[in-house]
Structure formats: C-alpha cells, structure tokens
Amino acid sequence: ESLDPYLHGHKQNLLEEGDDYYSDESLTLSNVPPELQGGVWISAANADNANTDSNFVSFDVGSDPVSVYIAYDPAGSAPTSSTHEFTPASLTGSLDVSDPSVGTMSVVSAAGVTGTVVIGGNKSGGTPGSQQAYVVIVVP
C-alpha cells in the first residue's frame, strides 16, 4: 500500500546502504539495521533542518498496523508528533550515515501505527542542537 501524499513535497523511496537519504544533498546511508530494511523512507530536504512547525510531515499509513521510525541528528532531540508517542527504538545495529557531523543517527519508533501520522518540523522538539534534518521510515 502506498503512502498518501504528504506536506512540503518530501519524497518516499525504498533506500538501502549507499543511497542518498536527503532529497537535496549527497549524504549516504553507510549502515542500515535489519529492522529498517525494506521500509518506505520519507526523505526531507536537509535545507528544512530549522523548521519548527508542529505539522511538518503528514501521511496516512492505512488500516494495516505498521512501525514508524524517525532517524534524527543525535545532537538534538526527536521531532514532536501530535498523533503518536515515539520512544527510543531498539535496533540490532546502528543507522550510520556518511555525514561526519552526525555519524550515527538516533532513532525513535512507534509500533502498531494505523491511519494518519503527523510529525513536527526538525526543531519542533525545542532542542536547538539538531543541525541535520530527520528521516522517517515506515516498515510494514
């Protein structure tokens, strides 16, 4: 099932090691944990990294439960969500990226998600430390 269109023109794709994870920069995934492989990745523009909107990305995952992951710059905090509670993800490996200022992304998740998901902008959590935009991964 395909995700419905969402705000701000972000792109969705199936990403794997070596792929760019932003729509506007050539920064690549260097390690993808098994839990995230085969997921639909919602790639933001890294230029949107200062966004504070409470409703920055919105999409509908349908009626079959999925897991939603948010990978973000560990220098900051996870973005807020008005629809779901995200908690630190338990992954069997790390989500490593080619950006030397980040290295390994922090990841939060929500399981059993159905319907609409709303996630705030990169700095909606109020932490100014996050310099890189987040990426959302939806796994069936």
Side-chain angles (χ1 to χ4, degrees), residues 26-51:
S26 292
L27 295 171
T28 60
L29 299 168
S30 53
N31 185 65
V32 178
E35 295 86 353
L36 304 181
Q37 293 176 8
V40 175
W41 295 64
I42 300 174
S43 300
N46 198 28
D48 290 332
N49 64 8
N51 189 289

Side-chain angles (χ1 to χ4, degrees), residues 33-111:
E35 295 86 353
L36 304 181
Q37 293 176 8
V40 175
W41 295 64
I42 300 174
S43 300
N46 198 28
D48 290 332
N49 64 8
N51 189 289
T52 61
D53 292 350
S54 61
N55 183 5
F56 184 62
V57 175
S58 177
F59 55 93
D60 189 314
V61 297
S63 58
D64 293 332
V66 298
S67 293
V68 178
Y69 296 85
I70 303 171
Y72 63 96
D73 180 351
S77 60
T80 59
S81 173
S82 61
T83 57
H84 296 86
E85 180 179 346
F86 285 83
T87 58
S90 178
L91 302 173
T92 56
S94 58
L95 179 57
D96 299 329
V97 296
S98 66
D99 183 348
S101 71
V102 174
T104 298
M105 301 280 254
S106 292
V107 182
V108 293
S109 66

Side-chain angles (χ1 to χ4, degrees), residues 114-128:
T114 59
T116 300
V117 178
V118 176
I119 301 171
N122 198 57
K123 295 194 177 185
S124 62
T127 303

Side-chain angles (χ1 to χ4, degrees), residues 126-139:
T127 303
S130 183
Q131 299 303 311
Q132 306 300 325
Y134 65 81
V135 179
V136 177
I137 307 103
V138 179
V139 179

